């Protein structure tokens, strides 16, 4: 059943960009301020939010909805946009059908912003990263496994798979346009049911 996408990678990237650019995005505490992003003076605020489940019952004063099946709480992004789960499952079905994931990180990197080099603390095993948008700059760099060098990727070309908990990675500054990215990853939580 084709609900959101048609199976053509570049056409679906355009569709995904349109879906993501209409969302109200906000950043949680763990990625606020300059902990995760660096931005040039005068640049728009970047955002990074988790879509999935959490063990935290509250976000500030807001109490999260409990998911009896997962035995966890839904993130604010999932509570506000439950339809995204089907969309993300369909996208994963087309482009990495055998990859198990339980969460998604949604990032918006406007012009003048970069993502600092970091390790993903709670990820288990490999993650898959894919980016969307008509932007310049915004290249992903990942430390090689066997030497001190980095490999540079344009995550719009194809999904990139690597272990972000073990390999340092980041994103160079976007010099023009807006970059959206999705990181599909697994935590200790049970993977979601496939599409």
């Amino acid at each position: 059943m084709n609900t959101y996408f048609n199976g053509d990678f570049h056409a679906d990237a355009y569709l995904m960009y349109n879906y993501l650019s209409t969302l109200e995005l906000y950043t949680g505490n763990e990625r606020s301020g300059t902990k995760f992003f660096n931005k040039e003076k005068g640049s728009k605020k970047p955002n990074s939010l988790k879509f999935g489940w959490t063990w935290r019952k509250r976000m500030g004063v807001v109490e999260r909805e409990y998911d009896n099946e997962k035995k966890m709480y839904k993130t604010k992004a999932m509570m506000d946009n439950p339809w995204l789960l089907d969309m993300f499952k369909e996208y994963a079905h087309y482009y990495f059908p055998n990859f198990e994931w339980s969460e998604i990180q949604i990032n918006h990197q406007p012009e003048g912003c970069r993502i600092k080099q970091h390790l993903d603390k709670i990820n288990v095993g490999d993650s898959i990263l894919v980016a969307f948008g008509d932007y310049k700059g915004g290249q992903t760099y990942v430390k090689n496994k066997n030497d001190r060098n980095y490999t540079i990727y344009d995550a719009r070309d194809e999904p990139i798979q690597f272990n972000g908990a073990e390999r340092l990675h980041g994103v160079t500054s976007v010099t023009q346009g807006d970059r959206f990215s999705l990181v599909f990853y697994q935590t200790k939580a049970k993977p979601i049911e496939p599409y």
Side-chain angles (χ1 to χ4, degrees), residues 17-35:
Y17 179 86
N18 286 334
Y19 295 134
L20 295 175
S21 65
T22 64
L23 294 176
E24 180 185 345
L25 299 176
Y26 40 82
T27 297
N29 291 340
E30 69 279 0
R31 293 189 176 209
S32 63
T34 59
K35 291 179 184 177

Side-chain angles (χ1 to χ4, degrees), residues 145-158:
K145 283 184 180 180
N146 301 319
D147 60 43
R148 295 181 181 191
N149 297 319
Y150 289 78
T151 301
I152 297 174
Y153 301 94
D154 185 338
R156 293 174 291 190
D157 293 340
E158 63 182 336

